[in-house]
Amino acid sequence: EGAAVEKVGEGQMMSPKETFRLALLFCPLWFFSNYSYNVGLAWTSVSSSSTIGTLSGFFTLVMGVMVGTEVFTVAKLGAVGLSMGGVALIASADMSTTSSSFRGDVMCLLSAVMYGTYTNFLKFHLTDDNSVDMCMFFGFVGLSTAVLISPLFFVLHLTGIETFEVPNSTTMQLLLLNGLIGTVLSDYLWARSVLLTTPLVATLAIALSIPLSVTADLWRGTAEFSTEYLIGTAVVLCGFIVVNYDEYWGEKDDSNAMALASQS
């Protein structure tokens, strides 16, 4: 049998074999998106990587319209613009002393493209949250990454691109903690949100980490923010509200139109 994964119908559940195939195809897209972003972050400024990273919303919308996982509306395009503009304001208010570099910007752009690709890939093959055992899926993603990607450590080490060394106990503990909370839990919740809502809603929701972190810092009194920074944060929040409003009222208008058509 081939390695192709067929789209799961509504109400159907993926078998373990189908789940493994999906994870096998998802794994390289997911890994190289995260890897390229971290490499880009090392090569360019934080403000530049953050601003370019918001293009993931644009690519998610464009690719979603192309494959049928998103329906284009002016409101969605506006929401993407608000999110990008808000992050750009925040980045300009929090300029790093590190200068930007072209190769770093290109890597961040590649990451945004890959993100849009694997987000719509997941939504295209899984119709709803009941289509797959998500814990099993990410277990297979981890297994596939360990088997297929781990050899790259030695290739990068031998070519001198990136030195491979065994971390000390403190670093290992921090890596495990970050892996459990920053990767496993966050990606699990993200994947479920993609299936419960849409790829674009889930993508713009990620930017909510900015207003949430600002709120936490203001509550604790540990930081002061410029007016430009706070305006950018509010704009990001507005973008998320707009896309959710459009999704809710768009579906409601479609349902009302179908009800009227059935009555006539």
Side-chain angles (χ1 to χ4, degrees):
E1 296 180 8
V5 178
E6 295 183 0
K7 187 174 181 178
V8 178
E10 188 173 354
Q12 294 181 335
M13 185 75 170
M14 266 194 167
S15 67
K17 187 175 182 179
E18 290 172 327
T19 303
F20 175 73
R21 286 179 175 177
L22 183 69
L24 195 62
L25 295 173
F26 178 86
C27 163
L29 298 173
W30 172 80
F31 173 81
F32 285 110
S33 174
N34 286 278
Y35 180 77
S36 57
Y37 179 80
N38 282 282
V39 170
L41 185 59
W43 288 347
T44 191
S45 65
V46 174
S47 59
S48 181
S49 63
S50 298
T51 305
I52 296 173
T54 59
L55 284 171
S56 59
F58 173 75
F59 290 123
T60 298
L61 177 60
V62 171
M63 293 179 185
V65 171
M66 291 174 62
V67 301
T69 57
E70 288 283 356
V71 177
F72 177 82
T73 65
V74 175
K76 287 182 179 180
L77 184 61
V80 171
L82 285 172
S83 181
M84 293 174 61
V87 173
L89 277 173
I90 293 168
S92 64
D94 191 29
M95 289 294 290
S96 170
T97 55
T98 306
S99 59
S100 301
S101 74
F102 177 73
R103 64 173 184 170
D105 292 345
V106 169
M107 291 300 289
C108 290
L109 181 61
L110 175 62
S111 173
V113 174
M114 297 292 286
Y115 174 88
T117 303
Y118 77 70
T119 302
N120 284 291
F121 172 85
L122 188 67
K123 184 68 172 182
F124 179 80
H125 287 285
L126 301 173
T127 54
D128 55 54
D129 189 47
N130 297 318
S131 301
V132 68
D133 184 330
M134 198 59 71
C135 291
M136 181 188 295
F137 172 73
F138 275 107
F140 283 143
V141 170
L143 177 63
S144 301
T145 303
V147 174
L148 299 177
I149 306 300
S150 294
L152 287 179
F153 291 156
F154 303 102
V155 174
L156 294 173
H157 178 77
L158 293 175
T159 55
I161 298 176
E162 187 172 325
T163 304
F164 176 76
E165 58 183 15
V166 179
N168 57 44
S169 59
T170 302
T171 303
M172 181 64 75
Q173 291 173 11
L174 292 173
L175 286 172
L176 289 173
L177 181 63
N178 179 69
L180 289 172
I181 299 175
T183 301
V184 176
L185 180 59
S186 64
D187 280 358
Y188 173 82
L189 295 175
W190 163 85
R192 293 201 63 185
S193 71
V194 169
L195 301 182
L196 289 168
T197 58
T198 70
L200 184 59
V201 171
T203 299
L204 297 188
I206 295 175
L208 289 181
S209 60
I210 298 173
L212 288 174
S213 62
V214 168
T215 302
D217 286 338
L218 289 174
W219 179 68
R220 293 183 301 170
T222 56
E224 295 182 359
F225 301 98
S226 66
T227 302
E228 188 179 13
Y229 198 105
L230 294 175
I231 291 174
T233 299
V235 172
V236 169
L237 182 60
C238 286
F240 180 71
I241 293 173
V242 167
V243 73
N244 277 276
Y245 183 87
D246 181 67
E247 283 291 335
Y248 173 75
W249 286 105
E251 289 183 2
K252 194 170 184 178
D253 289 342
D254 290 342
S255 299
N256 292 336
M258 289 178 65
L260 289 173
S262 63
Q263 293 174 2
S264 59

